[in-house]
Amino acid sequence: MKPDVSLDFKFTSSMEQVWHALTDSDTLAKWIWNNDFQPIVGHKFQFRAEPNEWWDGIVDCEVLEVEEPHTLSYTWTSTGETTTVTWTLTQGSDGTTQLHLDQSGFSEETKARQGAIEGATYAWTNMSTQLEKVLA
């Protein structure tokens, strides 16, 4: 299945530093949201953001795959929609860390709604900017 959101990011930080930023709860809170994440397959956790009139601010997740320091995957359930987020890290030939994000599994109904995929893409792009600041 082709991912609904597919983004590539490049960081000058080491793979270990980027992996830490993806898997350390306190660091994740600095660039995504507060959470109780643990990099253990089967661990259920939440991201918690400020609620608003359209959203309760909670994303329920479950860790699906942990292959340190190359692959991290978890479910992402919010507003009745469950997708899968997969992060893949590779070392660039120039010493940079390549970080690839796939988010897949949006329902056909969600895909039909104008802007759902674009909104996710926008949000992940903004979060990656925060990640870059955390890594600096």
Side-chain angles (χ1 to χ4, degrees):
M1 174 181 5
K2 179 181 175 293
D4 299 306
V5 177
S6 186
L7 299 168
D8 288 296
F9 308 103
K10 184 176 178 176
F11 300 103
T12 56
S13 302
S14 70
M15 276 183 60
E16 290 74 21
Q17 290 169 309
V18 177
W19 180 260
H20 178 81
L22 292 173
T23 59
D24 177 73
S25 179
D26 292 337
T27 307
L28 271 172
K30 293 176 183 174
W31 67 276
I32 298 185
W33 296 306
N34 289 331
N35 64 87
D36 54 344
F37 177 83
Q38 291 179 24
I40 300 167
V41 172
H43 177 69
K44 294 181 179 174
F45 67 100
Q46 290 183 329
F47 283 110
R48 294 174 302 281
E50 285 295 318
N52 60 42
E53 61 185 284
W54 304 282
W55 180 50
D56 65 5
I58 296 171
V59 180
D60 289 303
C61 305
E62 181 176 347
V63 179
L64 302 174
E65 182 180 7
V66 179
E67 287 184 26
E68 184 175 350
H70 299 286
T71 308
L72 175 66
S73 182
Y74 44 83
T75 59
W76 181 278
T77 303
S78 181
T79 61
E81 183 88 44
T82 299
T83 59
T84 300
V85 172
T86 302
W87 299 99
T88 307
L89 292 82
T90 53
Q91 190 75 56
S93 58
D94 58 358
T96 59
T97 300
Q98 312 292 322
L99 179 62
H100 179 78
L101 164 73
D102 282 333
Q103 186 172 11
S104 57
F106 285 95
S107 68
E108 290 306 317
E109 180 183 316
T110 297
K111 289 179 188 179
R113 272 188 283 159
Q114 187 65 27
I117 305 299
E118 292 84 357
T121 301
Y122 176 81
W124 285 119
T125 301
N126 278 352
M127 287 180 201
S128 75
T129 301
Q130 294 305 314
L131 173 57
E132 192 165 21
K133 291 176 185 174
V134 166
L135 290 169

